[in-house]
Amino acid sequence: MSRIAYVNGQYLPHLDASVHIEDRGFQFADGVYEVCEVRHLQLLDVTRHLDRLERSLRELAIQMPMERRCIPLIMREIVTRNRVINGLVYMQANRGVYPRNHLFPPKSVKPSLVITAKHTNRAAAEEMAACGIGVISVPENRWDRVDIKSVSLLPNVLAKQKALEAGAGEAWFIDVDGFVTEGSSTNAWIVSKDGVLVTRPAESGILRGITRTRVIDMAAGMGYSIEERAFTIEEAKAAREAFVTAASSVVLPVVEIDGATVANGHPGETATRLRALFFDSSEKLPC
Ligand code: PDD
């Protein structure tokens, strides 16, 4: 079965799905995106993903490409047409197509909207989570509006590739004061020696991850103490546990940081428990 993509009002075979060369996403990375997990034919936390999409667009003065209530209909349609049971939905909204000019196009130019879906291998993901991943640290070199889920991801791309080449699964950005901000495509967490879950506040310096928010709600409900504060890479190396969160990796244990093992080098109990309970505590939209 061939894959189908939604591109500006049309459902197209993936191979034929393309954007115009004057698309501002292509020309300037002038747009935003969301990635939403599909599990057991259900879309997770769509309300929060749409809230963040609206916010990101508002911050960049880009119009919503269509009425908000219509977007989940397309997301569900694209999941169904691609027969995705477990996977990810990607959507990008940008400032539209207009002859290249740094200035915003006229208000009459319609924003672009692209929505795709892909399968993920849940067994492989669980295997990876059972082993945990390594992370490397890299200097923070992104702009100061990383709270916007912009498609402009060059530093993130370079950092992730560097991690891969170092045999690690993720790179953590370190700010000028020596604190971890977040991963190239994940939020960063530790569990302190006394069992407190620690993650950086989302007011600045990181993306407010939907998975992060869900884990905070879930962990609080389970009786964990949570501290939203910055931590250093040294504190992370000495922590009881470390893990990352994202829609694409749920809760993923970190077992090595810059070559040093975290605790006994195996996934921690807290991260493993939070991962197991994540689906049950998420908002679900059946497809
Ligand atoms: N990345 N921080 C960054 C820089 C991210 O790119 C992401 C998500 C997150 C976690 O956000 P959420 O929990 O809402 O997925 C944090 C997506 C998955 C991606 O770029 O593919």
Side-chain angles (χ1 to χ4, degrees):
M1 192 203 60
S2 63
R3 286 179 68 195
I4 304 291
Y6 173 89
V7 185
N8 295 323
Q10 288 183 292
Y11 291 95
L12 299 170
H14 211 261
L15 278 175
D16 304 329
S18 53
V19 293
H20 197 278
I21 56 166
E22 300 280 23
D23 186 276
R24 291 183 64 101
F26 173 65
Q27 292 277 2
F28 295 112
D30 187 6
V32 304
Y33 75 108
E34 284 295 327
V35 176
C36 197
E37 187 189 355
V38 184
R39 200 175 316 176
H40 309 320
L41 265 176
Q42 297 171 92
L43 281 155
L44 303 192
D45 285 325
V46 170
T47 305
R48 288 177 175 180
H49 282 284
L50 290 178
D51 287 348
R52 190 173 62 186
L53 177 77
E54 281 189 317
R55 177 186 182 275
S56 295
L57 288 170
R58 202 167 47 242
E59 291 298 314
L60 298 179
I62 300 175
Q63 300 298 312
M64 272 288 269
M66 64 175 58
E67 268 187 64
R68 173 180 167 135
R69 68 183 171 80
C70 298
I71 297 178
L73 304 179
I74 302 173
M75 294 170 78
R76 292 162 80 180
E77 185 68 23
I78 210 76
V79 168
T80 307
R81 289 193 187 218
N82 287 283
R83 299 190 192 163
V84 172
I85 295 167
N86 295 300
L88 296 169
V89 168
Y90 172 86
M91 63 183 143
Q92 176 176 151
N94 70 46
R95 214 181 299 273
V97 176
Y98 198 68
R100 188 177 185 278
N101 182 334
H102 286 68
L103 295 171
F104 290 1
K107 288 227 163 7
S108 56
V109 171
K110 267 181 71 69
S112 299
L113 179 64
V114 170
I115 304 184
T116 58
K118 70 173 182 188
H119 300 263
T120 51
N121 183 336
R122 274 193 49 75
E126 290 312 320
E127 232 170 80
M128 183 193 281
C131 295
I133 59 162
V135 302
I136 59 163
S137 56
V138 295
E140 179 64 88
N141 59 354
R142 300 174 299 160
W143 73 329
D144 64 359
R145 291 306 310 274
V146 293
D147 57 300
I148 299 171
K149 201 160 171 56
S150 156
V151 293
S152 174
L153 290 171
L154 196 47
N156 310 57
V157 166
L158 297 176
K160 184 77 100 186
Q161 181 63 27
K162 195 169 176 189
L164 176 89
E165 286 167 12
E170 179 58 302
W172 279 359
F173 290 112
I174 311 296
D175 71 15
V176 284
D177 300 315
F179 292 103
V180 175
T181 55
E182 63 181 334
S184 69
S185 63
T186 56
N187 288 121
W189 295 72
I190 57 170
V191 181
S192 70
K193 285 256 187 300
D194 46 359
V196 178
L197 273 71
V198 182
T199 193
R200 189 177 173 110
E203 274 57 51
S204 69
I206 67 165
L207 179 76
R208 189 184 293 275
I210 305 302
T211 319
R212 174 188 175 282
T213 305
R214 177 61 65 198
V215 167
I216 289 174
D217 294 351
M218 183 169 67
M222 290 160 73
Y224 287 104
S225 303
I226 299 145
E227 267 180 31
E228 291 188 66
R229 64 164 174 85
F231 58 85
T232 63
I233 203 84
E234 295 312 323
E235 188 181 358
K237 282 181 192 167
R240 186 193 283 185
E241 291 182 39
F243 61 93
V244 294
T245 55
S248 51
S249 44
V250 196
V251 177
L252 185 58
V254 169
V255 294
E256 203 177 285
I257 300 173
D258 284 338
T261 48
V262 177
N264 63 2
H266 294 291
E269 189 188 307
T270 314
T272 304
R273 202 160 158 228
L274 292 169
R275 181 179 179 88
L277 297 175
F278 183 80
F279 177 69
D280 285 342
S281 52
S282 299
E283 177 205 41
K284 299 171 197 80
L285 179 65
C287 293

